[in-house]
């Protein structure tokens, strides 16, 4: 993918998202991401009635082989807000999978019912595999432990909206960096920008090295949150899951070291922002929610706009 | 809330439902309820195409933490019939609640995806709590054992449609008055009118006194249905649930005394009507269904119109 | 039903589908089926925007008392593609059935929320029963072990589209002919045409004779697929379910004899087509999928058009 500047403002532009799969954030250039962000801005400024024309008569089908209320509802809300409609299937229990049907056949059938497919699946590689089968564009809403590209897109958009730009920032990602698929997509996306990336996690949950060997920029790893938190512009928090620890006491000890509470707010920059992919359990205390630096619910709002923009750009060749 | 007569027919009227939560029927004046009923009449007279403009581009999100096919479908049908769209989540099993997320965070996220929220939750106080969190209007579709205000609204509307007016009637509520949340909302709503209220239940399931201490009108309690049934204009039947009785034999004995069957039809007024919030099991026999006084399915139809009217009034400031 | 040729092209025609239930394929004449096919052709040629007017403002409610992702999604996609909207309930678990409500009451309520009902139920006779209760037209999407009329309609439409016409063909149905309800609907539908029907199944799973006594045409039964496969124009494959066999070894032996694999492709006619109601497990090998004679995914596409045509014809008197 070259780095020609696309623009939806120019009548004869090419829309690089048209009819395209969204499997990995690595498939998109920085210029393309910025086009997406500008278009999300534009959608955010449209009136309700204007937006309704963007996907009129188009159907989004969701195929979620793993539960996810939040992501599914986000895509549904985005599609409905641009005038399309939605249908889909949840979990493997209510589906033909029960009868032993392969993901291959399931996707082939759904492909015939929809103009665009949003899939989540518990297996690595499933999204790429499904996209090859489907004739319609497919959006990966989480595949195995690998990627969650639309989460990374909305994360970047959040940073840009909250901070004005992404380049030049110091960004810390905190918590479980080993198993959280959102983290990998985010790191790949940030690597397209000129940022300093600090990864803060317990040893047991540090980033899987084999997944970051191809990064352009160096990343800095830390075990103690206190060492860097006061220097960060972005504090991106993820959940530490109990089931990752063989020993519950070890879990309790570790977990406590990465909790964002009111005391920590005194140590962070006055213009820093705190992000979280949600759902959160107790890694960010409720007492933090009312601080203006707590951006995780604004992040959900930005996420809806990014999803609507992405869907509109994929569906409409000229926009 | 004062008692100015609002009217949607007058161009400069104020719409008291606009952008408002519906948590308890007590939050609404008699005048407001009557405005709602008049508007439901109007919606009932509109053509399909006219109705479709009332909620065009608006999204209703349902969050049902407790199963309820009937109520959910009623709201969905109402919203779709006025041109809006719907999305939502059912049960706690398919949601992030499983991952330990609080109702607070769930509502905050749903709030960002919807223009109006309909919630059912098994905990007392949950609807009021959620409404405070949500920035969009929230409709309580049943919270704990407390209230179910839209059921009361449709019950009153049914009485008005079937009997011409509510004032002056003698209304009996039969069955489980202790645990049925629809009953409390209905009693509060009826207390705004000039009616005589007879409550007929086994001792074990009589009304919880602490919930009716603030009524304006006296209510009359009975244990035997035969004592009053021939004097009632409205016979409102509720289900008696087996699980309320420690002893199954006691349940069988009690239950039989509150069954509406063909024999009873001879003893009730010729212009009485029989209502039920549904689902019914066997507290009203199928043999009663074809009697013109059996109003419980017409009640469902009125319920759809009331829900459509309520949604339209909440969504549109000027109507 | 007489055999007047209806035509939707003529302004003063009668639309024989308008407001009609679809319970058994036997309720429809050959002429009516052909009208449906011609209208499905027409819908297939319409632009997206034109189609959207066919069901604007109409609501399809699905009531699936038995799981079926494929059929449900097919009806949803069809309804959305002609501009209508959908709502519904799945399984008996999330419904009032749990509280002991009868199918009678459930249908009565859904009837008040919808303009058209699509029902699947595990009991024989349930669709006919429900249609009598509902005031709106009801489509049987599978009742008990009896019928699945819309599957038969789409099967016939597939044959017509793929082969040009149905009359004169030699059609083989392979696999479980005893328990597969799609098979019965298909046989009844084909009996309206001038075809030769070969039924190929293990003895244990041969057609239930009492269900085919009223056929106009003779059918030919075989136990060995090899005996006839090279003469067939249509090879309609169904799944053989393990649970039908008391002895697993017997199952394994039988199953293997009815598998369509690459070797078999050499023995069948060059213009034959292979069909399957899906989901398939391993009765058709994946290696067959890329052969042009493999028509089972095209069948899904035809199915969507047939469903859209059927819904549009039922909803609109003049079309």
């Amino acid at each position: 993918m070259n780095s020609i500047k696309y623009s939806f403002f120019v009548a004869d532009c090419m829309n690089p998202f048209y009819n395209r799969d969204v499997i990995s954030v690595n498939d998109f250039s920085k210029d393309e991401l910025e086009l997406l962000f500008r278009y999300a801005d534009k959608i955010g400024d449209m009136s309700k009635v204007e937006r309704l024309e963007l996907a009129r008569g188009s159907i989004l089908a969701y195929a979620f082989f793993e539960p996810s209320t939040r992501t599914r509802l986000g895509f549904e809300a985005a599609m409905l807000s641009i005038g399309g409609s939605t249908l889909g299937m949840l979990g493997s229990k209510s589906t033909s999978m029960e009868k032993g049907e392969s993901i291959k056949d399931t996707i082939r059938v759904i492909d015939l019912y929809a103009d665009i497919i949003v899939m989540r699946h518990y297996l690595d590689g499933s999204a790429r595999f499904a996209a090859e089968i489907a004739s319609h564009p497919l959006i990966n809403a989480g595949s195995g432990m690998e990627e969650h590209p639309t989460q990374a897109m909305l994360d970047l958009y959040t940073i840009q909206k909250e901070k004005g730009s992404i380049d030049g920032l110091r960004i810390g990602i905190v918590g479980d960096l080993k198993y959280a698929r959102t983290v990998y997509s985010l790191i790949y996306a940030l690597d397209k920008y000129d940022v300093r990336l600090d990864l803060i996690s317990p040893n047991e949950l540090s980033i899987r090295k084999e997944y970051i060997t191809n990064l352009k920029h160096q990343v800095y790893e830390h075990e103690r949150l206190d060492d860097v938190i006061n220097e960060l512009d972005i504090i991106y928090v993820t959940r530490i899951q109990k089931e990752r620890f063989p020993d519950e006491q070890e879990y309790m000890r570790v977990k406590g070291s990465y909790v964002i509470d009111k005391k920590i707010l005194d140590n962070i920059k006055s213009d820093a922002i705190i992000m979280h992919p949600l759902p959160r359990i107790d890694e960010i205390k409720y007492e933090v929610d009312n601080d203006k630096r707590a951006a995780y619910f604004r992040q959900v709002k930005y996420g809806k706009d990014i999803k609507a923009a992405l869907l509109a750009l994929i569906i409409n060749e000229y926009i």
Side-chain angles (χ1 to χ4, degrees), chain A residues 12-247:
Chain A
D12 59 350
C13 72
M14 201 187 103
N15 168 1
F17 289 91
Y18 176 61
N19 217 13
R20 186 158 162 198
D21 296 319
V22 180
I23 306 306
S24 166
V25 78
N26 280 330
D27 300 341
F28 295 86
S29 69
K30 182 175 173 182
D31 284 342
E32 287 173 334
L33 293 177
E34 292 191 339
L35 168 65
L36 175 66
F37 300 159
R38 286 204 312 280
Y39 192 67
D41 285 350
K42 195 181 174 192
I43 273 205
D45 291 340
M46 282 185 192
S47 75
K48 242 188 199 185
V49 173
E50 271 181 287
R51 291 171 65 132
L52 289 181
E53 293 307 308
L54 295 172
R56 207 156 80 90
S58 291
I59 297 176
L60 176 155
Y62 53 84
F64 275 47
F65 297 88
E66 200 186 62
S68 165
T69 302
R70 182 181 315 282
T71 301
R72 172 180 61 84
L73 290 181
F75 273 106
E76 284 202 83
M79 187 63 172
L80 294 173
S81 77
I82 57 171
S85 47
T86 67
L87 49 77
M89 44 165 263
L90 297 177
S92 59
K93 288 222 180 105
S94 66
T95 73
S96 289
M97 301 292 287
E98 254 192 352
K99 300 179 190 168
E101 188 182 49
S102 69
I103 183 179
K104 201 171 176 176
D105 282 12
T106 301
I107 292 298
R108 267 181 185 150
V109 168
I110 282 175
D111 187 38
L112 292 163
Y113 292 157
D115 299 297
I116 193 164
I117 302 167
V118 178
M119 186 177 97
R120 169 169 290 197
H121 198 283
Y122 45 85
L123 289 180
D124 286 2
S126 51
R128 187 79 66 190
F129 175 73
E132 273 166 30
I133 289 163
S135 69
H136 291 103
L138 184 143
I139 298 176
N140 175 11
S143 62
M145 287 197 306
E146 299 169 326
E147 281 231 37
H148 193 347
T150 59
Q151 179 71 41
M153 288 169 174
L154 78 87
D155 289 341
L156 258 63
Y157 185 56
T158 301
I159 296 173
Q160 178 152 307
K161 294 297 279 186
E162 295 276 324
K163 300 293 298 177
S165 77
I166 299 168
D167 286 320
L169 297 179
R170 185 151 172 195
I171 297 170
I173 309 182
V174 182
D176 176 358
L177 308 184
K178 189 169 184 181
Y179 299 107
R181 65 183 159 208
T182 56
V183 164
Y184 292 88
S185 286
L186 180 57
I187 290 174
Y188 302 153
L190 286 172
D191 195 44
K192 300 174 194 295
Y193 290 80
D194 186 23
V195 298
R196 173 181 156 125
L197 197 53
D198 294 284
L199 304 179
I200 306 116
S201 68
N203 253 328
E204 298 90 329
L205 297 176
S206 68
I207 196 85
R208 286 172 282 166
K209 300 297 171 299
E210 66 275 26
Y211 281 80
I212 58 163
T213 48
N214 288 322
L215 294 183
K216 274 187 300 182
H217 299 96
Q218 201 195 329
V219 298
Y220 300 86
E221 295 196 67
H222 313 267
E223 212 181 335
R224 287 170 42 89
L225 186 56
D226 292 349
D227 290 352
V228 283
I229 196 157
N230 60 336
E231 296 163 32
L232 298 173
D233 297 302
I234 309 293
I235 301 158
Y236 193 101
V237 185
T238 66
R239 191 163 20 116
I240 292 181
Q241 290 179 295
K242 207 184 197 166
E243 52 269 38
R244 305 301 182 199
F245 290 83
D247 177 26

Side-chain angles (χ1 to χ4, degrees), chain A residues 139 143 149 181 292 306-307 319:
Chain A
I139 298 176
S143 62
R181 65 183 159 208
K292 71 177 178 19
I306 277 289
K307 287 183 182 85
I319 207 160

Side-chain angles (χ1 to χ4, degrees), chain A residues 280-317:
Chain A
R280 57 119 171 233
I281 308 302
D282 53 8
E283 58 278 7
I284 301 177
K285 296 281 186 207
Y286 286 107
E287 62 196 27
V288 174
D289 293 4
N290 291 326
D291 192 284
K292 71 177 178 19
R293 291 167 292 183
Y296 27 95
F297 290 111
R298 297 195 295 274
Q299 200 177 344
V300 175
K301 164 69 176 63
Y302 295 132
K304 189 180 140 190
D305 287 345
I306 277 289
K307 287 183 182 85
L310 188 60
L311 293 170
L313 288 169
I314 291 173
I315 291 169
N316 299 284
E317 184 161 6

